[in-house]
Amino acid sequence: MTGLTSHAADIRDAKRVQDVVQETNPEWVVLAAAYTDVDGCEGNPDLAFAVNRDGAVNVAVAAKKVGARLVFLSSDYVFDGKKTTPYEIEDARNPQSVYGRTKAEAEIRLLALMPECCIARTSWLFGIGGKCFPDTILKLAASRPALDVVNDQRGCPTYSVDLARAIVRLCRKDASGIVHVTNAGDCTWFEFARDIISGAGLATVVRPVSSQQMARPAPRPSYSVLSATRLRALGIEMPSWRDSLRRYLEERPKPIR
Ligand SMILES: NC(=O)c1ccc[n+]([C@@H]2O[C@H](COP(=O)([O-])OP(=O)(O)OC[C@H]3O[C@@H](n4cnc5c(N)ncnc54)[C@H](OP(=O)(O)O)[C@@H]3O)[C@@H](O)[C@H]2O)c1
């Protein structure tokens, strides 16, 4: 397995991407690279489309040239959030943000270019070693007696370790088409924050607020729970987000006191 970073290739550079993919000569390419700052994308759509849509096409073209298969990481933000039951893979895309549009357009282009590619839509990622919601909540909780967290957006937190394991299994199963890959169960950001605080044994008070009270540049879907029907049909079960949060809290390096 070869892990490539942005230093190996900027995915906007088609030639460089082709060289790197050719040198690596993989059986599968997993494209996780993206411009993921959802609010940043809103103010910088040209960069967002150049990386998330056109960059993805560059990677797909390069993969196709060497006969490699592709897993593309997409997002729950391709949906508008108006449903109240889990989104199925057949549900229509209707992104509300620039970031969501870049991912939706990338999905369409990749499926046209490489119908056998696998589009793995995930959501609310957290993991060790990077900026993520649990890490931010724990850092804020260390210095504040109370935190306000939005309680009107519902989704599926997903531990990067579980996502990575599922992607490996998707490759081994030769999966193609759209698959939703998230931890099982759903919650609001407020409920997630409350469990993070209690799981870490902290006493910080978490208060529910509305998205309107915490206005941000990019709109977020109020409901973006992704159905695991297709994933289960492929024989893959994901752990619950509560179980994953427990493991994350155990595995996370503890601050030195
Ligand atoms: N985070 C979520 O909640 C979430 C939800 C749904 C889907 N996803 C998708 O899952 C994937 C991983 O998300 P993440 O949150 O783990 O992402 P992340 O931490 O923001 O990492 C994105 C990576 O992409 C690289 N990158 C950015 N622009 C690039 C470019 N032009 N060329 C090459 N590499 C570039 C970055 O490199 P540098 O650090 O060097 O800039 C970084 O290593 C993304 O495709 C994202 O859209 C994420």
Side-chain angles (χ1 to χ4, degrees), residues 5-7 9-12 31-37 51-52 72-76 99 103 121-126 131 163:
T5 68
S6 59
H7 299 292
D10 184 320
I11 58 170
R12 290 171 295 176
L31 177 56
Y35 179 29
T36 59
D37 175 353
V51 177
N52 295 352
F72 171 66
L73 283 192
S74 189
S75 165
D76 53 332
Y99 170 77
K103 287 290 184 179
R121 290 189 189 134
T122 190
S123 63
W124 296 25
L125 284 184
F126 63 97
K131 207 177 138 203
L163 173 64

Side-chain angles (χ1 to χ4, degrees), residues 192-213:
F192 192 22
R194 210 179 39 187
D195 275 38
I196 293 163
I197 296 289
S198 65
L202 300 172
T204 311
V205 175
V206 186
R207 296 182 298 225
V209 294
S210 69
S211 302
Q212 255 185 339
Q213 287 170 275

Side-chain angles (χ1 to χ4, degrees), residues 30-216:
V30 177
L31 177 56
Y35 179 29
T36 59
D37 175 353
V38 176
D39 291 324
C41 287
E42 209 63 20
N44 208 342
D46 290 348
L47 176 62
F49 279 102
V51 177
N52 295 352
R53 181 194 59 199
D54 305 341
V57 169
N58 290 340
V59 174
V61 167
K64 201 172 168 162
K65 266 204 174 146
V66 298
R69 300 282 306 279
L70 175 71
V71 177
F72 171 66
L73 283 192
S74 189
S75 165
D76 53 332
Y77 284 15
V78 300
F79 294 121
D80 59 18
K82 291 186 180 137
K83 271 186 88 175
T84 51
T85 54
Y87 279 93
E88 302 293 342
I89 58 167
E90 300 82 9
D91 282 323
R93 303 173 186 94
N94 187 21
Q96 301 296 297
S97 60
V98 169
Y99 170 77
R101 277 171 40 218
T102 65
K103 287 290 184 179
E105 289 190 22
E107 286 187 2
I108 293 164
R109 299 238 183 140
L110 296 192
L111 285 166
L113 188 77
M114 202 192 226
E116 72 282 14
C117 79
C118 180
I119 308 278
R121 290 189 189 134
T122 190
S123 63
W124 296 25
L125 284 184
F126 63 97
I128 290 158
K131 207 177 138 203
C132 65
F133 183 77
D135 186 59
T136 303
I137 290 292
L138 292 171
K139 283 186 178 141
L140 291 174
S143 61
R144 293 192 200 169
L147 297 174
D148 293 341
V149 183
V150 294
N151 196 29
D152 54 6
Q153 290 169 31
R154 181 166 290 277
C156 307
T158 304
Y159 190 19
S160 53
V161 171
D162 297 336
L163 173 64
R165 286 192 181 128
I167 289 172
V168 170
R169 295 189 66 193
L170 285 171
C171 296
R172 291 197 173 132
K173 284 170 186 283
D174 252 346
S176 61
I178 299 170
V179 192
H180 292 165
V181 191
T182 69
N183 276 131
D186 56 75
C187 61
T188 67
W189 290 112
F190 160 74
E191 290 163 350
F192 192 22
R194 210 179 39 187
D195 275 38
I196 293 163
I197 296 289
S198 65
L202 300 172
T204 311
V205 175
V206 186
R207 296 182 298 225
V209 294
S210 69
S211 302
Q212 255 185 339
Q213 287 170 275
M214 307 280 269
R216 297 175 76 175

